[in-house]
């Protein structure tokens, strides 16, 4: 049975990847940052190992006897360095396949800053000489049940400077299903890169309307000026780096670069990607 080390297993993406791997009969090893989180996985019958992205020794120890690595970098200023540390540790530990969850449209020479930083990690993976598969998913549907949830629930507003641009949002569970499919047949997907999207491009006005219909609440989209958005992010306590990265994302969206639709989810999993309508119907309670 293949053992897969899932870096950041306690996050939204990591939890779904662990679940997917287990359902496929693979053996996930949950990589977490604290003993409490390790205990939580152990209670579910899942082996968990603590590690620190800053410390390659802990990364190497955590990956021992693992056949694969699922790598999604933490959203922080040290993103590229942490990604490089993980790749080095994978090489030292004898990992045989890396599945990297990156970002839509990124590359090491992208014209937008976050795209370059994510793309640098992709490049580290490619240069490692370890067989790899890179998945580049678009924005997650779960943003609206997570990051934007409080604003929707408390104020009935989604306030982002994206005008009427569209995004082909993808459900995190579909990304996890793609990860599982790749690890289940590593040879078929080695040295390949897949751009992952949902089935349809939606503006934030479309998103607000669908959430309103599902939750029975008044929800609107407010395309705020960028300066107001920056001020709100800073007031929430985000660092300059995080603010800069989030603003770069909105600018890419406004250029229309996140609206394309691919069929990679269906290609990899054998079924169509989930629709946003399905997502809001399942999550309607969180906005009430």
């Amino acid at each position: 049975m293949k053992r897969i080390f899932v870096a950041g297993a306690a996050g939204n993406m990591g939890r779904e990847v662990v679940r997917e791997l287990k359902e496929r009969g693979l053996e996930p090893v949950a990589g977490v940052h604290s003993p409490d989180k390790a205990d939580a996985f152990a209670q579910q019958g899942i082996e968990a190992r603590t590690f620190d992205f800053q410390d390659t020794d802990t990364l190497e120890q955590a990956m021992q006897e693992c056949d694969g690595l699922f790598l999604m970098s933490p959203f922080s200023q040290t993103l590229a360095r942490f990604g490089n540390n993980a790749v080095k540790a994978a090489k030292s530990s004898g990992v045989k396949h890396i599945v990297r969850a990156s970002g839509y449209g990124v590359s090491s020479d992208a014209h937008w800053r976050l795209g370059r930083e994510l793309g640098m990690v992709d490049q580290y993976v490619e240069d490692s000489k370890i067989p790899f598969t890179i998945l580049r998913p678009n924005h997650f549907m779960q943003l609206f049940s997570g990051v934007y949830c409080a604003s929707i629930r408390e104020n009935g507003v989604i306030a982002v400077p994206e005008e009427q641009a569209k995004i082909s949002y993808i459900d995190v569970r579909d990304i996890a299903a793609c990860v599982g499919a790749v690890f289940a047949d590593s040879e078929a997907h080695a040295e390949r890169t897949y751009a992952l999207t949902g089935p349809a491009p939606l503006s934030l006005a479309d998103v607000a309307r669908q959430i309103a219909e599902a939750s029975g609440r008044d929800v609107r989209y407010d395309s705020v000026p960028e300066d107001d958005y920056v001020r709100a992010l800073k007031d929430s306590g985000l660092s300059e780096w995080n603010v800069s990265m989030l603003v770069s994302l909105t600018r890419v969206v406004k250029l229309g670069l996140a609206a394309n639709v691919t069929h990679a989810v269906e290609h990899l999993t054998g079924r169509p990607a989930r629709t946003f309508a399905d997502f809001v119907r399942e999550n309607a309670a969180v906005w009430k």
Side-chain angles (χ1 to χ4, degrees):
M1 181 186 295
K2 287 184 183 176
R3 305 182 83 200
I4 312 298
F5 183 76
V6 179
N12 287 334
M13 173 71 73
R15 286 195 302 270
E16 290 297 335
V17 169
V18 167
R19 181 192 56 75
E20 178 70 28
L21 294 174
K22 193 172 182 181
E23 286 185 1
R24 285 181 175 270
L26 302 173
E27 185 178 351
V29 176
V32 294
H33 302 302
S34 72
D36 287 347
K37 291 176 180 176
D39 288 343
F41 277 107
Q43 289 172 16
Q44 302 171 46
I46 296 168
E47 181 182 359
R49 301 175 182 176
T50 57
F51 77 100
D52 186 337
F53 270 115
Q54 298 184 76
D55 187 340
T56 52
D57 287 341
T58 67
L59 279 161
E60 287 180 22
Q61 291 167 11
M63 293 184 207
Q64 289 299 314
E65 299 180 345
C66 288
D67 304 290
L69 164 65
F70 170 72
L71 176 60
M72 183 176 180
S73 308
F75 190 68
S76 71
Q77 193 163 357
T78 50
L79 182 157
R81 178 163 60 86
F82 284 2
N84 194 26
N85 286 349
V87 172
K88 287 179 178 177
K91 197 164 187 175
S92 300
S93 304
V95 164
K96 300 178 180 65
H97 194 115
I98 299 174
V99 175
R100 157 81 175 143
S102 183
Y104 193 72
V106 313
S107 69
S108 57
D109 60 352
H111 70 278
W112 48 297
R113 188 176 171 190
L114 181 56
R116 285 195 304 276
E117 300 217 12
L118 290 169
M120 283 173 61
V121 180
D122 295 0
Q123 195 65 54
Y124 296 145
V125 171
E126 291 187 36
D127 293 344
S128 71
K129 308 304 180 186
I130 300 172
F132 67 88
T133 306
I134 294 175
L135 304 177
R136 290 181 173 153
N138 212 340
H139 296 211
F140 304 163
M141 293 179 186
Q142 280 72 11
L143 285 169
F144 301 101
S145 57
V147 174
Y148 298 138
C149 185
S151 178
I152 295 169
R153 189 171 56 233
E154 295 166 15
N155 306 311
V157 175
I158 303 170
V160 185
E162 291 180 359
E163 300 172 355
Q164 296 307 310
K166 295 188 176 185
I167 298 174
S168 50
Y169 295 98
I170 183 169
D171 194 302
V172 166
R173 293 171 295 178
D174 286 335
I175 304 169
C178 291
V179 174
V182 170
F183 276 125
D185 192 2
S186 295
E187 289 186 10
H189 303 291
E191 279 69 59
R192 296 194 177 184
T193 298
Y194 298 97
L196 307 180
T197 75
L202 300 171
S203 69
L204 283 171
D206 297 329
V207 166
R209 186 184 67 255
Q210 291 197 36
I211 291 175
E213 290 171 355
S215 65
R217 299 199 51 209
D218 289 333
V219 181
R220 75 176 192 278
Y221 167 52
D222 185 1
S223 183
V224 296
E226 187 175 286
D227 288 347
D228 291 352
Y229 180 63
V230 169
R231 192 176 306 110
L233 293 175
K234 289 182 177 178
D235 288 347
S236 72
L238 288 181
S239 70
E240 288 286 346
W241 184 89
N242 287 75
V243 171
S244 176
M245 296 302 103
L246 291 171
V247 169
S248 76
L249 270 178
T250 64
R251 291 174 178 173
V252 167
V253 169
K254 282 190 288 189
L255 290 172
L257 301 181
N260 292 340
V261 171
T262 73
H263 298 283
V265 170
E266 186 168 5
H267 171 71
L268 288 169
T269 68
R271 59 166 180 73
R274 290 176 172 87
T275 67
F276 195 77
D278 291 337
F279 169 77
V280 296
R281 191 161 46 246
E282 293 173 20
N283 290 275
V286 305
W287 300 300
K288 292 184 179 180

